[in-house]
Amino acid sequence: MEGTEGTQQPHLVLANKLFLLTHSDVDDIEKVRLRDEVMSTVVADDMAPLYETLAASSVLELDQKVLDSMRAKIAEELKKLDEKIADAEENLGESEVREAHLAKSLFYIRIGDKEKALEQLKVTEGKTVAVGQRMDLVFYTLQMGFFYMDFDLISRSIDKAKNLFEEGGDWERKNRLKVYEGLYCMSTRNFKKAADLFLDSISTFTTYELFPYDTFIFYTVLASIISLDRVSLKQKVVDAPEILTVIGKIPFLSEFMNSLYECQYKSFFSAFAGITEHIKLDRYLHPHFRFYMREIRTVVYSQFLESYKSVTIEAMAKAFGVTVDFIDLELSRFIAAGKLHCKIDKVAGVLETNRPDAKNALYQATIKQGDFLLNRIQKLSRVIDL
C-alpha cells in the first residue's frame, strides 16, 4: 500500500473515486466514467471482498463470473503465499519469514479484505524486531484506516506509532506521522491542531502516498486561515516560500488567502464561492463543509468589525459586494450564536461593536468563583457545627 515519491497510494485514489460516485454534485456523465475506472481497478487488483460490498450497496453491478474469477485467483495466490511462508520457516532465516508474512499482509490489503489484513499485520508484527519496520506496519494500518475512514483504527494506530517512537525511530518517519495525524485531526474537525502539524511538515513533506503536495498545501492553508491570528498567518502562511511556490497552481486559493489578509472583502467572497466547490468534492473536508463555511465567515466578519466602533450595515454590505438584506441576515445568525460581539441598530441601520474586555471578563469570573467558594464554605460550616 505504499506509494512511491510523488505518487498517491492507488487504494486512496480508488477511495476518492468511490466518494465522488456517491456525491450528488457530480454529474451523471462523470459518474459513468468513474464507475468504469473503479470497476477496472477492482478487477485488476482482484478486490473480491470490496466488489461484493459495492455490489450490495448498488454502487457497481454484480457480475457473478467476474466475482468467481477473482475468488479463484485469490485462492491460488494465497496458496502460493502460504507455501512461501512454510518454506521460509523450514529452510530460511527470521528475516525471510517476516518478508513472507509481510507479502501476505500486503496481498490482503490489495484485495480489500480489511479484517484479514489487520490479523496478518499483527502476525507480521510478531515477527518484526526493528522499530522502523514496525513503524512501517503502522503506516500500512493507517492507510487502511483512511481508505475505510475508520477513525477509531486511525486514532489507535497514531497512539501506537507515538509509543514506538519512544523506543527510537528516524526523523523521516516522525515527520510522515505528523502529516497522518494532521489529516486525522482535520478529518475529525480539529483544524487548530491540524494546522500546527501541517505547518511543521511543510519543509519536510514526503507523504506522497496520502496525497500530492498541492493537496497538502490546500489543506494547510484552509486549516491555518481559521486557526491562526493575523500575525501568525502572515509569518507562517502568507509569506511562506513553500506555500508561495505552489499556491498559484490551486484554483482560487491564492486569491482566497491574500484577499482575506489584505482586507479585500469583495474579492474574498468571489474566491470563497470557488473554494466551496473544492471543499464539497473533497472526501476529508466534505463532512465539515457547513462547519468550515461558518468558521471562515466568522473570521472575515470579525476582521472587518475589528476596525470599527460602529459602522453602517450599508457600508459593510458594499465592502463585501452583497445586499444589505443578506449581510443583515448573516450577522443576525452569527450574533445570536455568540460568534460576533456586536449589536444591530435596525432603525439607524448601524452595527455597534461591543468587544469583550479580557481583563474585565477575568475579574467577573474571579468574583463568580469566589462567591461559589464562599457558599460552599458556609454549607460545610453548618455541617461541622451539627
Side-chain angles (χ1 to χ4, degrees), residues 27 43 46 48 61 102 105 124 160 177 183 188 190 196 207 249-250 267 283 291 300 311 318 330 374 379:
D27 61 55
V43 172
D46 299 319
E61 290 182 12
L102 177 61
S105 301
T124 308
K160 186 177 181 179
L177 182 64
L183 182 58
T188 52
N190 187 350
D196 292 340
T207 322
K249 300 175 186 176
I250 306 164
S267 299
R283 74 185 283 255
F291 171 83
V300 73
V311 61
K318 190 176 179 182
E330 278 276 274
L374 286 171
K379 287 178 183 177

Side-chain angles (χ1 to χ4, degrees), residues 89-111:
E89 287 174 344
E90 287 178 21
N91 306 313
L92 302 170
E94 291 179 1
S95 177
E96 287 78 9
V97 170
R98 179 197 173 274
E99 290 302 317
H101 278 287
L102 177 61
K104 190 175 181 180
S105 301
L106 295 179
F107 177 72
Y108 278 130
I109 291 171
R110 195 195 86 192
I111 65 172

